[in-house]
Amino acid sequence: MPARPTRVLTGITTSGTPHLGNYVGAVRPAIAASRDPGSESFYFLADLHSLIKAQDPARTQRSTLEIAATWLAAGLEPDRVWFYRQSDVPEITELTWMLTCVAGKGILNRAHAYKAAVDRNRAEGEDDDSGVTAGLFMYPVLMAADILIFNADRVPVGRDQVQHIEMARDFGQRFNHVYGREWFTLPEAVVEAHVATLPGLDGRKMSKSYDNTIPLFVPEAELRRLVFSIVTDSRAPGEPKPVEGSALYELYRAFATPEEAAAFGQAFADGIGWGEAKQRLADLLEREIAPLRARYLDLVARPGDIEDTLRDGARRLRERYATPLLAQVREAVGLRDLSQVRLGSLQEEEAPAAKPPLATFKQYREADGRFYFKLVEGERVLLQSHAFDAPREAGQAIAALRRGTLALAQAPATLGEGVDASDVRAALDAIAAADADRAAKTQA
Ligand code: ADP
Ligand code: TRP
């Protein structure tokens, strides 16, 4: 049975202009990871999140375009990676509400970003919540919806975001518990320890908050000017220079092969002058960035194409995952089709005998000695499995289908004659609902 690929998901807040630190710490490793055939990647522009910090419409739009173009210029392939804009998937905001209703307010009180705002207010003798929007407070719930809606397994993030992933697990778990089955996969945060933190012009971490960045796609002359403004010490040419603590060396290393980095380190020991070292760094940066910059400029000159790419990603993603998932979640919480209600059955979920016949899984062995299962509804075969070598494998596939952790499209099985995938999904949903019912009754 083909295991479902590991789902790797991360969001990029659309605020500001990407800099070398973002490229080295986020864009470059994520694109490399997206080429792993064992994973299914979801990279999205977290434009709804950006509204929490920035309320400048023109800036939000410009940043969204710049960041989308950056990822595409850096080699992201929208045919093999889900690349989309958060606000193009309205199911995310809908799920946010469902999660809001199970999220503990006390947990949100402890979120770092919110707590930092409260602490600042206290230090200044203000009201705790002065100037704090409900958006800032709810930020982790929106982020949980981003992650849970696609049942992401792994979420690569910076250390500051780990708490949010833990909250996503908590909200997902509560939802699963309240609504009686494993609706959501619980995600794991992945903090890339081997990815360097790039220093900025002043030697502190490169960050837009410190205003010490080298924007990724400035013109070459500006790039060289910025490199020449990197802070160095007063050691003269000919004097040996340590590589430890040198921003210049760290920046060089992030773009060099190990051999080049070693040679640069040797040049430091041999007393290279700062001017020449900067020259070499600028050349090295230009080597990697120039082709990306050319693609970037080409892309931003055709913003309509970027718009189409993003919309197309969101459209396919909704169809494939978001819309069916929300249909299930609505059903789970009881936002249901009223035409199916029979009078007198509203007090409790109706008695099993009154339900329409459920489809059932049948497991069997063929004359070929191999093991199979099928999903049947009365006489009709809805789903016919491929052959398994062991009955356990067939059993596991059935269990995963029942729990909803194995998507129908990935199941080792084919649809029965004239059967529509939506019929099978409906039958699986009904079985899952019955399973949940039974579980709830045994708990009660
Ligand atoms: P900034 O600090 O400029 O506001 P963000 O917090 O928006 O940057 O970071 C976006 C992504 O870029 C995150 O994944 C973060 O880990 C990465 N990143 C930001 N600055 C650096 C840096 N100096 N070195 C390595 N990675 C960085
Ligand atoms: N909050 C994240 C940041 O500022 C961005 C983000 C939004 C995100 N939604 C996400 C990251 C979901 C991972 C998963 O960096």
Side-chain angles (χ1 to χ4, degrees):
M1 168 171 114
R4 110 159 152 50
T6 304
R7 295 195 187 163
V8 181
L9 174 144
T10 200
I12 306 105
T13 307
T14 52
S15 52
T17 299
H19 54 69
L20 291 185
N22 302 141
Y23 174 70
V24 168
V27 182
R28 200 172 58 181
I31 290 175
S34 75
R35 303 209 164 110
D36 170 1
S39 65
E40 181 176 9
S41 305
F42 299 71
Y43 297 152
F44 68 96
L45 306 169
D47 56 348
L48 295 171
H49 274 105
S50 83
L51 302 183
I52 293 168
K53 281 184 249 163
Q55 283 155 352
D56 174 346
R59 202 179 133 198
T60 297
Q61 183 185 32
R62 177 160 37 85
S63 170
T64 305
L65 176 67
E66 286 176 351
I67 292 178
T70 297
W71 282 75
L72 293 168
L76 179 119
E77 296 159 275
D79 296 337
R80 47 193 291 182
V81 173
W82 296 107
F83 185 52
Y84 56 102
R85 183 167 45 190
Q86 188 184 28
S87 65
D88 281 341
V89 184
E91 289 82 1
I92 294 174
T93 31
E94 188 172 350
L95 181 60
T96 299
W97 183 251
M98 315 281 193
L99 295 174
T100 300
C101 294
V102 296
K105 176 172 176 291
I107 292 188
L108 295 173
N109 287 339
R110 291 194 285 277
H112 300 318
Y114 171 66
K115 259 179 51 186
V118 170
D119 289 347
R120 264 196 308 277
N121 280 333
R122 288 192 184 157
E124 285 161 20
E126 299 277 354
D127 227 37
D128 274 9
D129 285 332
S130 169
V132 175
T133 64
L136 176 67
F137 189 68
M138 298 300 297
Y139 175 124
V141 188
L142 177 58
M143 186 156 157
D146 291 333
I147 298 169
L148 298 177
I149 195 165
F150 299 121
N151 285 310
D153 302 296
R154 295 163 67 81
V155 185
V157 283
R159 214 166 285 284
D160 59 319
Q161 297 289 322
V162 171
Q163 187 194 37
H164 294 149
I165 315 301
E166 277 156 14
M167 290 187 180
R169 290 176 66 90
D170 185 88
F171 306 152
Q173 206 156 25
R174 284 189 194 214
F175 190 97
N176 288 348
H177 178 73
V178 172
Y179 294 108
R181 75 157 156 115
E182 301 301 303
W183 296 96
F184 296 116
T185 304
L186 304 182
E188 305 269 355
V190 185
V191 179
E192 301 282 1
H194 64 273
V195 173
T197 299
L198 219 61
L201 301 175
D202 58 1
R204 289 187 292 171
K205 175 190 171 198
M206 186 179 289
S207 169
K208 58 180 172 288
S209 335
Y210 298 147
D211 204 14
N212 64 353
T213 70
I214 301 183
L216 185 53
F217 293 129
V218 288
E220 179 178 353
E222 176 67 1
L223 178 71
R224 291 186 182 275
R225 190 189 69 75
L226 286 167
V227 167
F228 273 83
S229 75
I230 294 169
V231 176
T232 47
D233 60 27
S234 58
R235 272 174 249 247
E239 261 185 85
K241 300 175 175 62
V243 294
E244 297 81 41
S246 163
L248 203 58
Y249 178 76
E250 284 307 317
L251 281 157
Y252 191 93
R253 200 160 63 118
F255 288 85
T257 63
E259 297 73 36
E260 288 167 333
F264 201 55
Q266 188 56 51
F268 268 52
D270 295 343
I272 188 174
W274 288 128
E276 195 195 332
K278 287 177 175 176
Q279 189 69 48
R280 282 173 64 174
L281 171 60
D283 291 344
L284 181 73
L285 293 177
E286 192 53 24
R287 177 181 83 189
E288 182 157 340
I289 293 170
L292 310 191
R293 184 195 294 124
R295 268 197 299 243
Y296 176 84
L297 293 175
D298 189 45
L299 282 159
V300 291
R302 293 178 289 113
D305 290 358
I306 296 183
E307 180 64 31
D308 289 347
T309 300
L310 291 173
R311 283 197 195 195
D312 180 59
R315 186 188 51 74
R316 287 182 292 119
L317 192 55
R318 291 180 69 195
E319 190 176 294
R320 178 98 160 83
Y321 295 123
T323 310
L325 182 103
L326 253 290
Q328 286 191 8
V329 169
R330 284 170 147 262
E331 179 71 24
V333 302
L335 306 181
R336 293 179 184 161
D337 180 346
L338 298 184
S339 68
Q340 301 305 313
V341 176
R342 275 178 317 285
L343 227 55
S345 67
L346 283 175
Q347 293 306 318
E348 270 183 51
E349 299 281 42
E350 50 275 53
K355 286 187 177 173
L358 272 183
T360 48
F361 281 101
K362 297 233 177 340
Q363 229 180 304
Y364 57 97
R365 187 174 193 178
E366 276 290 8
D368 63 4
R370 305 186 70 194
F371 299 87
Y372 296 81
F373 69 80
K374 55 190 175 183
L375 177 66
V376 294
E377 195 167 59
E379 295 293 291
R380 199 156 81 115
V381 177
L382 296 179
L383 197 64
Q384 168 66 61
S385 81
H386 305 163
F388 297 93
D389 293 329
R392 227 181 111 229
E393 292 167 16
Q396 282 168 344
I398 293 175
L401 280 167
R402 281 186 101 102
R403 279 196 307 267
T405 53
L406 172 61
L408 187 54
Q410 268 135 25
T414 40
L415 298 177
E417 254 328 282
V419 171
D420 201 67
S422 61
D423 294 349
V424 182
R425 280 197 203 97
L428 288 172
D429 284 351
I431 293 176
D435 286 350
D437 233 37
R438 236 186 332 274
K441 288 204 177 101
T442 41
Q443 266 178 22

